[in-house]
Amino acid sequence: MNNLESTHHFLIANTWIIWIVLAPLVGALINTGLFFSQNTLTQSQKQKISAIIACTAAGMAFLISFFLFWHMHSQTIFVQTLFTWINSSVFKVRFALNVDSLSSIMIVFITFVAFCIHVYSSGYMDHDEGFIRYFIFLNLFLSSMALLILSSNLLLMFIGWEGVGICSYLLISFWYQDPKNVQAGEKAILLNRIGDVGFLLGLIVVFSTIHSFNFIDLEAHRHLFSPGLLTFVDLCFFWGATAKSAQIPLYVWLPDAMAGPTPVSALIHAATMVTAGVYLLVRLNILYFLSPEASCVIAITGVLTAFFAATVATVQNDMKKILAYSTISQLGYMMLAVGVGDYASGIFHLISHGFFKACLFLSAGAVMHLLMQEQDIRKMGGLLKTFPLTALVFLVSGLALAGFPPFSGFFSKDAILWGAFSHPNPLIPWLPTALYTMGLITAFLTAFYISRMIILIFWGEYRGNALNHTHSLPWVMSVPMVILAIGSLIVGWIGIPKAIGGKDWINHFLHSTFFLIPRFTTNQDHLQVVLMLISTLVSASGIILAWIRYVRYPKTRLENQPQGFLKLLDHKYYIDEFYQKTIGRCTSWVAGWISEWGIENQILGRLVDNIALFFEKLSKGYQKIQSGLVRNYLFYMILGAAVFFIVFVCNH
Amino acid sequence: MIRYSAFFPELVLAITAILIIGLDLIFKKSKTKQSFLNWVSFSGVLFSIAIVCFDGNILSTSFHQFLVTDPLAVFGKIIILVSALLTLLMTFRYFKSNTTEHQAEFLVIILFATIGASALTSAQEIITLYVALETLTISSYILAAYMKRDAGSNEAGMKYLLLGAFSSAVLLFGFSYLYGATATTNILKMNERLMTEPLNALIVLGIIFVIAGLSFKISLAPFHMWTPDVYEGAPTPVTAYLSVASKAAGFIAFIRIFLVALNTPALVHIWGGLFAVLAALSIVIGNLSAIPQKNIKRMMAYSSVAQAGYIIIGLLVNNQLGLTAMLFYLFVYLFANMGAFLAIVIVSSQINSEQIDDFSGLWKRSPLISMALLIFMLSLAGVPPFAGFTGKWYLFGAAIQNGYLWLGLLGMIFSVISLYYYLQIVRRTLVLDSPENKPISISVIEKTALIICMLVTIVLGFYATPLMHVIHRTVGSFMN
């Protein structure tokens, strides 16, 4: 009976997977129709309808995902093959979706956060002219993201990958009237294109080696890759991931991406899209497990990104910029987890980070919404009394980010730090200790910068002049914030380690996806407890330092121009300037050279012109034959037939 | 006993046509009557499509196997009937701005032409085939010349009649040689006899005449000279009909005669090469001549010459892959070309011009039509991800796999060149501006038809599996 029932669920699940992708797509299409429709509805009625449609679509996607997740057991894999998408003799790609433990937990997390943010947006974007357009893009994004997560092969995943990229671009440049926003969008898409080259290169090498894009075939035929080739493929995909997940050296687009509406930053540039790179690497876990060299590169890049982004975040004054650098830093942690081979912890941190960072962005958005779009934390302060709910939500998610127990960030970050410390490295014996130390310093910086931000926003005296226009938060905004705040508190409990009496549920749950990777066990539970205590202390000391610095002596800290090293941090290590001066200059020099030395005009231009001229002459010449006279037409017809016959007679 | 089952779709059309003549005589002339008659013709064609769809799975023959309803016939009938349906839709719009006192007869003649085209697809015997073809062609002469107070229409009708009569005579002459060589008019038997018959010059002469006569119908160069003049002068719905329904019927006739009757190793050797030359000539001449055109219908005429060149590639490779590609492309071409003409009729009847220049600034006046034209033009040019790309990919792939590498490459190069003139329309509609910004009105049913054409053109580019399934079955039943 039980077996029968599960088969029944299995069948239902298999036919419903596609609707996770389709529901938001249909929502986007309906809203597009609404956008272009010219009927008697007023603008505000249209807005209401479009918001309901978009939220329903996201909600449906979540319900289906939840259903799948609920029926997910250790060895279950739901597969839905819709059709053969490309079919030629050498090249066969199925449009198939695949739900295993990894993608089920990812999709349920993503659709849930997306649903919350859809609801939040309907309040945040109220009175915006592009309201309907906004929801079209948001739904389209969710659809692409679902495709990215659920696809059963790399090529289909690439479509989702590009889809989220284009939606990210559209939403960064959402307020296109300001050239700055458009440039930010362009920067994002340009840097992502650089990453796409890596992804495509990886695709090509994988296909030419195993003649398939399917993840299953990839696992089965992993021995076909020689070690060198494997490292190359791994680094190609990592190259793609550095752009999407904002890692050194391609992270520079993410801070600028904050030009988009704040809920977009929460959904796309914190919780979901930017984690796609991490997801890709975790999906290909076996390829990374087999290449310690590539893993080393990833771990080192990850920890460096985490560290550098955290240092920059400590001196920024723009609320969203701080959160952006914080996101880069946290993504670095996830990459570190992937690099040391602790894939489950990477996903664990991805999910808990998604909750608390989305929550932080939404609270920041609420503050901006209430303060006439003010983003500079120097012009805030003392808002605790004015916005108690927002302050509470901010505090909960902030503590989660700071990694303070028992908030979610503590468990997930600690899982990564423990993973980095305990997994021995076959190439560089001292690397685990170094990674752990860097990670710990970053944790300290994280606690510091988020405490600084919360203190400057909510404690002390109000330093701005926008407060007299405030109004209350609508429920559509406050409810999602509270839900996500609860999530930031409790989501971490799914991974309480065994060392302190937990069940480490997520590790067990994901194990079926990582079945090829030998289970890593240690019997150093005491050491793990000690390290957890150290993390707690480090986090607490970061908070205390911020307290001393900004509550005790606030004035001088805010008004002084940063000097020395702080100035370097304030300018984000001059990385943007460096890119501009090197790559930007080189490119424009080459482009200038090409146009100045006449390669374009004299050689290419003439070539193109002459080809066009040739065909134009040919076509003009032919026009003379088309005389309009029936006798000529008849003549050519007979001539044609006659020539054919003569040719035949001559041949035989 | 005579069986009629294979003739039902045509029978429905004939009854509808006679009904319209009768109703037209009974009722007094009024606007209501006209729209009523429009709907009668429309539902007649719809009913005929329904019969083909639901009854088409049964292999049936009528009139001593003169007519046969096999999967190929069903496929052809669907293309022809759908394009007839869209032509009727254009007619309703066209007569809003171009009035003539005999609107009902126009519908009737379209139906008669469709009977001919539809019967042609199931003709299993060359006399039947010829009669069906003439039913189609003679109706087309009348349709082309229908606007009798318009000099252009008259000229078109006259030229079409003179050249068409000549080509029909050539075709019949060719058939007579084939009959002389095989002593049968049945297509299947003709194939059997030709297998054993030694090759002689008279058979070859017959084949060349048949090619010349039929190439005229689908306007393959150098037998295409009538196309631009007739397409330009004829009423626009007729142009659309000629460019899709009439051609589809011609292609099915080509398939029946060449892939069945004349499909012997010795003969394939001859006509394969001839068709390669015809395809190449059509692709080159059609694409080059389309470039300098100012009139949109004339441009579409040359475009259709080039498109015929692409499609015939599927025939000349003489295998399953080629036929699959050919049928797929015909289906795609139906929606892209009919959609484009529908858009052109809607716009040109309201701006009173057929000059490409006057399409400037259309995006302001009708975003939907501008979008539709963009999609149809890109599909006709073969730009991914639209269906036209997939179709050309199959066609050129078939050419390359069967040793016609040069033809595949030529097709690709000229597809690139064709982008120039297709995008000229897109550039005017979407990029350029015009002082005029009065909205173009569009009825609900026209909008629906345009959107369906657009959706088919987009979806088939991504997801062709169901259609390919049907085509594989059709091809499988036809060639082994």
Side-chain angles (χ1 to χ4, degrees), chain A residues 36 38 82-89 91 159 611 614-616 618-620 622-623 625-634 636-649 652, chain B residues 155 159 162-163 166-167 199-201 204-205 208-209 211-212 216 222-226 228-229 269-270 274 277-278 285 288-289 291-293 298 302 367 393-394 401 413-414 417 462-463 465:
Chain A
F36 283 111
Q38 293 146 336
L82 287 141
F83 53 88
T84 304
W85 173 38
I86 301 173
N87 189 4
S88 79
S89 49
F91 198 75
I159 298 181
I611 290 174
F614 170 72
F615 282 114
E616 198 188 325
L618 216 59
S619 135
K620 287 248 169 73
Y622 175 75
Q623 285 309 298
I625 296 178
Q626 190 81 37
S627 57
L629 298 175
V630 174
R631 58 170 183 272
N632 289 356
Y633 292 1
L634 282 174
Y636 288 115
M637 283 165 69
I638 295 166
L639 186 70
V643 168
F644 281 153
F645 191 67
I646 292 164
V647 168
F648 167 77
V649 171
H652 290 269
Chain B
E155 185 191 332
K159 276 185 178 164
L162 286 171
L163 295 166
F166 176 75
S167 82
L199 189 64
N200 63 49
V204 174
L205 194 62
I208 288 174
F209 278 174
I211 291 180
F216 173 86
F223 309 104
H224 72 290
M225 308 291 280
W226 60 280
D229 293 355
H269 186 65
I270 295 167
L274 286 185
V277 175
L278 287 178
I285 290 177
L288 286 183
S289 312
I291 292 174
Q293 300 309 325
R298 210 172 164 84
Y302 282 115
W393 189 65
Y394 282 130
Q401 282 198 1
I413 293 169
F414 276 88
I417 291 172
F462 291 99
Y463 178 49
T465 314

Side-chain angles (χ1 to χ4, degrees), chain B residues 278-312:
Chain B
L278 287 178
L281 272 178
S282 306
I283 291 171
V284 173
I285 290 177
N287 281 316
L288 286 183
S289 312
I291 292 174
Q293 300 309 325
K294 300 265 186 283
N295 181 300
I296 195 161
K297 278 157 77 180
R298 210 172 164 84
M299 190 216 87
M300 290 301 283
Y302 282 115
S303 143
S304 88
V305 172
Q307 300 284 349
Y310 299 134
I311 298 174
I312 210 71

Side-chain angles (χ1 to χ4, degrees), chain A residues 377-391:
Chain A
I377 54 174
R378 283 172 301 186
K379 294 184 185 157
M380 296 175 189
L383 296 177
L384 178 62
K385 281 178 205 137
T386 337
F387 317 132
L389 179 73
T390 311

Side-chain angles (χ1 to χ4, degrees), chain A residues 27 130 318 379 510 512 578 586 636 644:
Chain A
D318 181 323
K379 294 184 185 157
L510 289 178
S512 64
F578 172 72
C586 280
Y636 288 115
F644 281 153

Side-chain angles (χ1 to χ4, degrees), chain A residues 413-529:
Chain A
K413 192 185 289 179
D414 225 60
I416 291 177
L417 289 178
W418 172 246
F421 185 76
S422 60
H423 282 64
N425 190 302
L427 299 175
I428 314 169
W430 51 265
L431 194 65
T433 325
L435 293 175
Y436 175 75
T437 317
M438 288 285 277
L440 208 59
I441 298 170
T442 309
F444 171 77
L445 291 171
T446 310
F448 174 78
Y449 68 70
I450 191 64
S451 311
R452 166 179 177 266
M453 179 171 167
I454 292 176
I455 289 164
L456 288 180
I457 296 174
F458 293 105
W459 260 263
E461 296 290 306
Y462 182 63
R463 298 176 293 272
N465 47 11
L467 204 51
N468 28 5
H469 305 291
T470 56
H471 43 99
S472 64
L473 272 187
W475 68 267
V476 284
M477 289 173 72
S478 54
V479 171
M481 276 161 63
V482 172
I483 291 174
L484 287 174
I486 297 169
S488 318
L489 175 62
I490 63 170
V491 160
W493 302 349
I494 60 172
I496 299 176
K498 285 203 174 111
I500 57 166
K503 282 190 167 163
D504 206 3
W505 174 83
I506 185 149
N507 229 324
H508 284 286
F509 181 74
L510 289 178
H511 187 70
S512 64
T513 302
F514 308 133
F515 67 99
L516 286 171
I517 294 170
R519 212 164 213 183
F520 178 76
T521 45
T522 55
N523 42 12
Q524 298 168 297
D525 284 357
H526 295 292
L527 189 60
Q528 195 178 357
V529 175

Side-chain angles (χ1 to χ4, degrees), chain A residues 262-391:
Chain A
T262 311
V264 168
S265 312
L267 178 62
I268 300 183
H269 304 119
T272 58
M273 183 192 87
V274 288
T275 61
V278 179
Y279 175 76
L280 169 69
L281 303 194
V282 175
R283 233 319 129 219
L284 301 174
N285 55 71
I286 186 66
L287 298 190
Y288 286 91
F289 180 75
L290 293 175
S291 168
E293 291 86 357
S295 295
C296 263
V297 172
I298 294 169
I300 295 169
T301 315
V303 84
L304 286 178
T305 310
F307 176 73
F308 281 111
T311 54
V312 174
T314 55
V315 296
Q316 297 300 310
N317 289 319
D318 181 323
M319 198 158 53
K320 289 182 75 178
K321 283 269 156 70
I322 299 175
L323 292 177
Y325 276 102
S326 162
T327 305
I328 298 172
S329 164
Q330 300 296 313
L331 288 165
Y333 271 122
M334 296 171 211
M335 285 296 179
L336 168 62
V338 173
V340 299
D342 193 359
Y343 306 106
S345 301
I347 292 297
F348 181 26
H349 193 55
L350 190 163
I351 290 168
S352 76
H353 169 259
F355 273 93
F356 64 70
K357 187 56 66 63
C359 188
L360 278 169
F361 266 112
L362 294 192
S363 328
V367 171
M368 284 164 59
H369 192 68
L370 297 167
L371 290 181
M372 317 291 293
Q373 302 299 319
E374 180 59 63
Q375 297 192 16
D376 192 336
I377 54 174
R378 283 172 301 186
K379 294 184 185 157
M380 296 175 189
L383 296 177
L384 178 62
K385 281 178 205 137
T386 337
F387 317 132
L389 179 73
T390 311

Side-chain angles (χ1 to χ4, degrees), chain B residues 56-73:
Chain B
N57 289 329
I58 309 151
L59 189 78
S60 57
T61 55
S62 291
F63 310 125
H64 301 285
Q65 302 194 347
F66 284 9
L67 288 179
V68 55
T69 313
D70 58 354
L72 181 70

